């Protein structure tokens, strides 16, 4: 996101939490022109101070506890960060814009983007999913995101704020964290191909996801804040694949047969699964002029190639990289 905005000529500030935050060094190496400011979604005062200091035109909230399995282990923290964190950012914008909590409407100048998610559809009521599809989240993460989604809508309606949500389907790239399936698979394939490992342990292979390239999705986020009127949009490719197909595609990209290496492991099965997600991105296409440029096979091959290149430096190269992202 930061890279895309810098390329568009924005002055970009990143909110950094914690005392020691390993990704900061890597962000600086990647984009020295991104400025950093301290703050935490758990700390209302720090967010108000950040908005006062930066005086932003736009705020993108991509921060969350976003790994779905962790949300069962730390459900309260997920609610605090992923759910109430949205409230705190919206409140910081409202207060700094001088919008009264008792008087509406009064649109301020700061535009707000909330990263909503297809996980809100959960046990889907219809396929494909649109902006009108009802929500039925299946994890504490999904429930927290529904809160953030409706709160963003509510601040738009209550205060006339330019506050919008992008309902993002799964988006991936070589920078993806290694705990998420596509990166776990691309890294696993690279380790097996280079002879460092023989097996890859995975959970449910039958679930389906609408996987796209993160670089395409950040374009949509910026476009959503550049419209005349604020609105929510579904962002996805409209094509769905099973986990098994992703695994097969990744192993094939390295000339391997997944059946020789993949072991299913109950440790990776979730208490409740989202079985099948597929976006209908027509509204984004018609109103934003947005379309994904990178297809499924190109994405998976890109990720496998990137990890093969990364691990060419040695079997532990990915550990530093995992810390970085
Ligand atoms: O890559 P995943 O962990 O992504 P998930 O749960 O769909 O969520 C991601 O996308 C959401 C958007 O729809 C975001 F909101 C969210 O923050 C995150 O970015 O798992 C994808 C699928 C699941 O069905 C999971 O059960 O892969 C299945 N899976 C099978 N084996 C596995 C594994 N997932 C992971 N992470 N690890 C496995 O070993």
């Amino acid at each position: 996101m930061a890279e895309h905005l810098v390329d568009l000529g924005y002055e970009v500030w990143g909110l950094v939490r914690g005392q020691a935050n390993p990704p900061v060094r890597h962000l600086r190496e990647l984009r020295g022109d991104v400025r950093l400011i301290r703050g935490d979604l758990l700390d209302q005062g720090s967010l108000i101070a950040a908005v006062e200091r930066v005086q932003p035109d736009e705020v993108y909230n991509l921060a969350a506890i976003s790994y779905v399995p962790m949300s069962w282990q730390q459900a309260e923290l997920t609610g605090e960060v992923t759910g109430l964190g949205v409230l705190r950012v919206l409140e910081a914008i409202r207060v700094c814009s001088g919008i009264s909590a008792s008087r509406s409407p009064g649109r301020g100048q700061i535009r707000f983007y909330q990263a909503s998610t297809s996980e809100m559809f959960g046990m889907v009521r219809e396929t494909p999913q649109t902006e009108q599809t009802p929500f039925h989240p299946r994890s504490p993460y999904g429930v927290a995101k529904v809160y953030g989604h409706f709160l963003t809508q509510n601040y738009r309606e209550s205060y006339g704020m330019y506050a919008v949500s992008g309902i993002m389907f799964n988006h991936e790239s070589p920078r993806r964290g290694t705990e998420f399936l596509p990166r776990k698979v691309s890294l696993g394939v690279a380790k097996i191909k280079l002879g460092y490992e023989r097996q890859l342990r995975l959970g449910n292979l039958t679930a389906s996801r609408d996987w796209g390239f993160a670089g395409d999705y950040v374009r949509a986020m910026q476009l959503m804040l550049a419209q005349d009127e604020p609105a929510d949009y579904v962002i996805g490719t409209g094509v769905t694949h099973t986990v098994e197909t992703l695994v097969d595609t990744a192993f094939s990209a390295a000339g391997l047969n997944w059946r020789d290496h993949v072991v299913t492991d109950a440790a990776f099965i979730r208490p409740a699964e989202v079985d099948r997600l597929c976006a209908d991105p027509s509204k984004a296409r018609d109103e934003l002029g947005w379309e994904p440029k990178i297809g499924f096979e190109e994405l998976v091959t890109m990720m496998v190639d990137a990890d093969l290149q990364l691990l060419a430096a040695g079997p532990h190269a990915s550990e530093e990289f995992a810390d970085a992202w």
Side-chain angles (χ1 to χ4, degrees):
M1 185 82 230
E3 257 183 324
H4 179 55
L5 295 177
V6 168
D7 289 344
L8 290 176
Y10 282 53
E11 177 185 331
V12 179
W13 288 74
L15 190 78
V16 182
R17 75 183 172 89
Q19 288 177 286
N21 197 323
V24 168
R25 179 167 57 89
H26 295 270
L27 179 65
R28 283 200 195 284
E29 281 166 12
L30 185 76
R31 287 306 319 208
D33 34 14
V34 174
R35 301 173 74 179
L36 301 175
I37 187 160
R38 291 206 179 277
D40 195 311
L41 290 197
L42 298 179
D43 184 340
Q44 181 72 76
S46 72
L47 298 177
I48 292 174
V51 174
E52 273 177 349
R53 166 73 183 87
V54 175
Q55 298 281 316
D57 299 309
E58 299 177 356
V59 172
Y60 294 85
N61 180 33
L62 309 191
I65 287 179
S66 65
Y67 182 46
V68 174
M70 187 177 156
S71 76
W72 278 283
Q73 291 155 3
Q74 299 187 14
E76 183 181 349
L77 186 64
T78 302
E80 281 287 348
V81 174
T82 305
L84 282 171
V86 184
L87 172 69
R88 296 188 188 101
V89 179
L90 282 164
E91 276 294 284
I93 293 171
R94 185 185 67 73
V95 168
C96 293
S97 304
I99 299 172
S100 162
S102 58
R103 191 164 37 82
S104 65
R107 180 176 296 177
Q109 297 303 310
I110 304 174
R111 296 186 168 204
F112 173 71
Y113 171 86
Q114 165 61 13
S116 285
T117 166
S118 51
E119 281 291 302
M120 300 188 305
F121 296 124
M123 191 181 282
V124 298
R125 305 281 177 85
E126 59 181 6
T127 296
Q129 292 86 48
T130 73
E131 294 77 8
Q132 307 305 325
T133 304
F135 299 140
H136 185 145
R138 296 272 285 166
S139 62
Y141 166 79
V143 173
K145 281 285 184 181
V146 169
Y147 173 81
H149 182 84
F150 280 131
L151 197 76
T152 301
Q153 197 177 76
N154 179 260
Y155 270 53
R156 181 164 78 221
E157 293 171 1
S158 302
Y159 302 122
M161 285 169 60
Y162 193 114
V164 302
S165 294
I167 306 176
M168 296 285 152
F169 283 62
N170 298 49
H171 42 291
E172 315 292 329
S173 85
R175 294 177 185 168
R176 182 61 137 153
T178 54
E179 68 273 44
F180 297 95
L181 178 90
R183 184 76 204 293
K184 180 175 174 181
V185 171
S186 64
L187 197 60
V189 166
K191 284 180 178 171
I192 291 168
K193 180 71 182 177
L194 296 173
Y196 302 144
E197 279 178 19
R198 298 180 55 80
Q199 271 189 356
L200 178 61
R201 305 184 82 80
L202 297 174
N204 178 13
L205 302 183
T206 65
S208 298
R209 290 290 184 275
D210 179 334
W211 279 291
F213 173 54
D216 284 332
Y217 289 46
V218 298
R219 281 193 292 111
M221 297 179 199
Q222 189 273 335
L223 287 171
M224 287 177 61
L225 290 196
Q227 303 306 302
D228 290 338
E229 291 302 322
D232 302 329
Y233 293 89
V234 158
I235 305 296
T237 68
V239 183
T240 189
H241 295 91
T242 62
V243 170
E244 184 179 307
T245 300
L246 183 140
V247 169
D248 184 18
T249 307
F251 276 84
S252 299
L256 298 167
N257 184 343
W258 70 273
R259 292 179 189 281
D260 296 336
H261 304 282
V262 170
V263 175
T264 48
D265 184 335
F268 298 108
I269 304 284
R270 301 174 181 190
E273 177 65 284
V274 172
D275 293 323
R276 187 167 189 271
L277 291 172
C278 185
D280 175 356
S282 338
K283 184 180 173 191
R285 187 190 56 223
D286 297 346
E287 295 184 11
L288 303 178
W290 178 82
E291 280 196 2
K293 292 180 183 162
I294 306 272
F296 174 77
E297 282 203 14
E298 194 180 347
L299 170 65
V300 175
T301 306
M302 174 207 298
M303 292 179 70
V304 170
D305 287 348
D307 277 325
L308 282 168
Q309 212 177 336
L310 179 73
L311 290 186
H316 302 298
S318 63
E319 287 159 25
E320 152 107 4
F321 190 81
D323 278 349
W325 296 104

